[in-house]
Amino acid sequence: MTRRRSSARFFDPTGARFGIPTWPWRMAPPHLRTRRQLTAEGLRPGGQDIAGQVLWNSRRYRCGVRAAYLYDVRLALPKRTPSERQRAALGKALAARRRCPDCGRDAGYVLPRHLGTCLDCADSGATSTRTTLERRHAA
């Protein structure tokens, strides 16, 4: 009974109460999708306005009500694919985040920003606290 009452509370397909068309969880029309659903289908909103929203009760967050915005799949555009130069630049940037400035090796993971070095260098005490603080302020 609680579920039905909350469904009626969020059911506003005309948008008179909430300003935009609103549906309860799992009751939105089939042509409307969230951003994640569009991404899973290889699409993006493509600059269109929000077509509606889904509202549901949540005990996890303080506000109690969560929202997901919906976009019309018929107006969505295909996702853009990066060029080869963009992919190469992204690869270099990600590699730089894995390279330790002290030992110079690729750690195989993104270095923690609060340490500024790989975990092996941080554990061995190869860098003093002063050097780490100087590196942080320089960046």
Side-chain angles (χ1 to χ4, degrees), residues 6-68:
S6 68
S7 295
R9 187 174 107 187
F10 297 136
F11 189 76
D12 180 26
T14 61
R17 188 172 18 168
F18 295 105
I20 59 174
T22 304
W23 292 273
W25 182 256
R26 296 182 187 245
M27 290 186 67
H31 69 279
L32 297 179
R33 308 269 200 298
T34 63
R35 275 186 181 268
R36 284 191 180 197
Q37 290 170 331
L38 288 176
T39 300
E41 296 176 16
L43 300 171
R44 60 187 169 100
Q48 65 175 299
D49 290 332
I50 296 169
Q53 67 181 349
V54 172
L55 295 179
W56 69 95
N57 289 322
S58 173
R59 287 182 238 142
R60 181 179 288 180
Y61 298 94
R62 291 181 190 217
C63 64
V65 176
R66 304 261 335 256

Side-chain angles (χ1 to χ4, degrees), residues 89-128:
L90 182 61
K92 286 180 183 178
L94 292 175
R97 293 177 64 194
R98 294 190 312 260
R99 186 156 312 278
C100 178
D102 289 348
C103 63
R105 69 177 179 89
D106 186 349
Y109 53 87
V110 176
L111 302 177
R113 290 185 64 192
H114 70 281
L115 294 175
T117 63
C118 65
L119 297 177
D120 293 336
C121 291
D123 286 341
S124 68
T127 60
S128 66

